[in-house]
Amino acid sequence: MRPRAWCGVLAAVALSATACGGGGGGGEKKSDDAAAGARSGFPVSVTDCMGAKTTFESAPKRIVTSNAASLELLMWLGAGDKVAGTGFPPGKGAMPGQYADRAAKVPVLGRTVIPKEKLLGSGADLYVDSFSSMKNMGKMGDAPTAKEFETAGIKHVFLKSTACAAMSKAPRTDLSGVEADIEELGKVTGTSARAAELVQEMRKKTGAVQDALKDVPKDKRPSYFFFDYDAGTKQPMAVCNRQVANAVIGMAGGRNVFDGCDGDFKPVGWEDVVAKNPDWIQLGVRNRGSEEANAKAFDEAAEFLKNFPATKDLTAVKEGRFLRIGSERTTIGGVRSADTVREIAHTLHPDRVK
């Protein structure tokens, strides 16, 4: 049994002893605790990708995150001091400046996916997961089962806009799912007021872009291909209409060339990309750990397209219509998804979005 579980048992024993010798004081304390919980917004219940419910009687005290995106979201919410470890740690320059130093001090439990034994033995009471269905982000490892999480005393929640994308019943055309993640995690961590502020600011940014593009007909908007360079060059991986990136591209005034495929990601052929002949291509590169390494990776992705026989004659390639925006900022939902919308919109519609 983990130390936290033992603490729970000892606390229960202590409360029992107090009730036996204290003449009823325990009942009043329990009522006070329940009232305090109600005032703070607890209990809170959330669901996973399949609808299974998890209930929190109070805010978690020790959190582990699956990757830099979920770590960043907790920083934005003001719950960063509760993070006890992470997988896929942020590289240099990946985290917003105001959180960079604090994020760098978070213990790294895995350079990629956190090993199961390390996660279960982390002493966490909450694991925030972005990876439920993201098979294409690399080998996901031997993930703990629901029973193993329960035995370890760890509650498991998902950033559903990303983790559950493949299970979505309709195409993603806006950031409502991302906003719902922020609001839900705000409730779980007792930071609902901050979550509301973040969502309001996101809507302000995307609303301004939508207003600027409202007179641009859908069929006149430039076509857009997200080139997932790190998924491999032998067979391109398309971003489909259930993925967060589909919403980001559409809200930015672009037309995802693979918005007709259902799901989150799908392997396609280079002949399919050539047939779409996109107006713009985003060089989707995952963070390499430094600005220099990232720049080199973007250059490599561009050079591949310029030299690969199937793509070298595409108009976007010949004219250098590339966007150098990291994969994570586009395919994993978060507070800065709104900034990515604005950045893409400025590139595609510079006369309308400043």
Side-chain angles (χ1 to χ4, degrees), residues 1-5 62-65 84-86 109-110 113-129 141-156:
M1 187 179 288
R2 296 166 57 256
R4 179 171 294 280
R62 187 175 172 86
I63 306 172
V64 168
T65 56
T86 190
L109 302 184
V113 178
I114 301 172
K116 180 167 79 169
E117 294 75 14
K118 190 168 285 189
L119 174 56
L120 293 175
S122 64
D125 54 2
L126 173 63
Y127 178 55
V128 182
D129 196 350
D142 183 18
T145 64
K147 184 63 177 177
E148 287 173 327
F149 273 121
E150 182 182 358
T151 300
I154 303 174
K155 294 188 175 181
H156 186 192

Side-chain angles (χ1 to χ4, degrees), residues 35-198:
R39 286 195 300 272
S40 63
F42 291 94
V44 169
S45 293
V46 298
T47 57
D48 66 9
C49 298
M50 302 304 292
K53 185 186 294 186
T54 297
T55 299
F56 293 80
E57 299 298 334
S58 60
K61 295 180 173 62
R62 187 175 172 86
I63 306 172
V64 168
T65 56
S66 64
N67 65 341
S70 43
L71 168 61
E72 179 182 328
L73 181 48
L74 287 167
M75 294 286 182
W76 281 107
L77 287 168
D81 59 331
K82 296 182 179 181
V83 181
T86 190
F88 286 96
K92 184 179 179 181
M95 194 69 60
Q98 66 269 39
Y99 304 127
D101 290 344
R102 197 187 324 167
K105 295 176 183 176
V106 172
V108 176
L109 302 184
R111 299 307 304 181
T112 57
V113 178
I114 301 172
K116 180 167 79 169
E117 294 75 14
K118 190 168 285 189
L119 174 56
L120 293 175
S122 64
D125 54 2
L126 173 63
Y127 178 55
V128 182
D129 196 350
S130 301
F131 292 139
S132 175
S133 66
M134 297 189 70
K135 307 297 185 187
N136 303 305
M137 290 295 288
K139 186 176 182 294
M140 299 320 297
D142 183 18
T145 64
K147 184 63 177 177
E148 287 173 327
F149 273 121
E150 182 182 358
T151 300
I154 303 174
K155 294 188 175 181
H156 186 192
V157 302
F158 298 91
L159 298 185
K160 289 183 283 190
S161 63
T162 299
C164 311
M167 305 172 204
S168 178
K169 296 180 180 179
R172 297 293 178 89
T173 58
D174 58 34
L175 297 181
S176 58
V178 178
E179 294 166 357
D181 278 339
I182 295 169
E183 292 171 335
E184 189 168 270
L185 195 55
K187 291 177 182 177
V188 166
T189 58
T191 59
S192 288
R194 175 59 176 159
E197 292 175 358
L198 293 171

Side-chain angles (χ1 to χ4, degrees), residues 91-94 287-298:
K92 184 179 179 181
N287 189 277
R288 297 295 201 269
S290 71
E291 294 179 10
E292 294 78 11
N294 289 341
K296 181 180 179 182
F298 282 125

